Amino acid sequence: MVNMPLLLPETQSVQTPEANIQVFIHGQGPLVVVLPSLGRGVEDMFEFSSLLAAEGFRVCLLNPRGIGESKGSLDPLSLNQLADDVAHVIEKVSPAEAFDQAHVAGHAFGNWVARNLATRRPDLVKSVALIGAAHKSFPVEL
């Protein structure tokens, strides 16, 4: 792998009906949305998103409610609400003239949000990538 400088993303705030979501955007092109693991922000994905942006993608990393500058009710909070936040972000950060669907990558806990979004809003999701989507117990045959 070639060492390349880390590109800092632009920061935006997306207002949803229930929350205000902090998003970071790298690059231009087809949209890739990256969802972090439980209780973590997306800053540790900046190098990954820089690489994707260099390959011609518009990468959107979003901090879920309660992380970074993202605000919104946490009690109670469901996967549906987290996925709805992502849906609103996709609708707002995708240029209308270029909107198709987003590729959604969920890291660890983010995989559950990505799957929920893809199931409930297939109109917004082109593909789902599961990154580190392990479960704590597996059937012995696996």
Side-chain angles (χ1 to χ4, degrees):
M1 178 190 284
V2 176
N3 287 337
M4 57 185 288
L6 179 64
L7 302 173
L8 292 178
E10 73 177 73
T11 305
Q12 296 180 17
S13 181
V14 173
Q15 186 66 48
T16 76
E18 296 183 357
N20 189 352
I21 304 299
Q22 179 184 33
V23 300
F24 301 92
I25 307 281
H26 272 124
Q28 296 298 320
L31 184 62
V32 176
V33 175
V34 180
L35 306 174
S37 57
L38 184 63
R40 295 189 60 97
V42 291
E43 289 81 3
D44 51 350
M45 296 294 215
F46 283 177
E47 185 174 357
F48 173 65
S49 67
S50 290
L51 293 170
L52 288 174
E55 292 298 320
F57 292 95
R58 178 175 175 83
V59 185
C60 175
L61 304 107
L62 62 119
N63 277 330
R65 298 177 193 197
I67 304 294
E69 297 298 316
S70 291
K71 308 286 186 235
S73 176
L74 301 175
D75 188 31
L77 185 60
S78 69
L79 281 175
N80 286 351
Q81 289 171 299
L82 292 170
D84 288 346
D85 290 347
V86 178
H88 287 287
V89 168
I90 290 171
E91 291 170 337
K92 298 237 168 95
V93 303
S94 298
E97 66 278 2
F99 182 76
D100 185 10
Q101 291 174 304
H103 302 280
V104 181
H107 175 244
F109 177 80
N111 99 84
W112 299 109
V113 179
R115 291 176 193 212
N116 182 295
L117 176 67
T119 301
R120 294 177 54 246
R121 291 296 307 272
D123 58 308
L124 297 178
V125 180
K126 185 173 190 115
S127 67
V128 175
L130 308 179
I131 305 168
H135 194 274
K136 290 186 181 195
S137 63
F138 293 93
V140 175
E141 58 273 10
L142 294 179

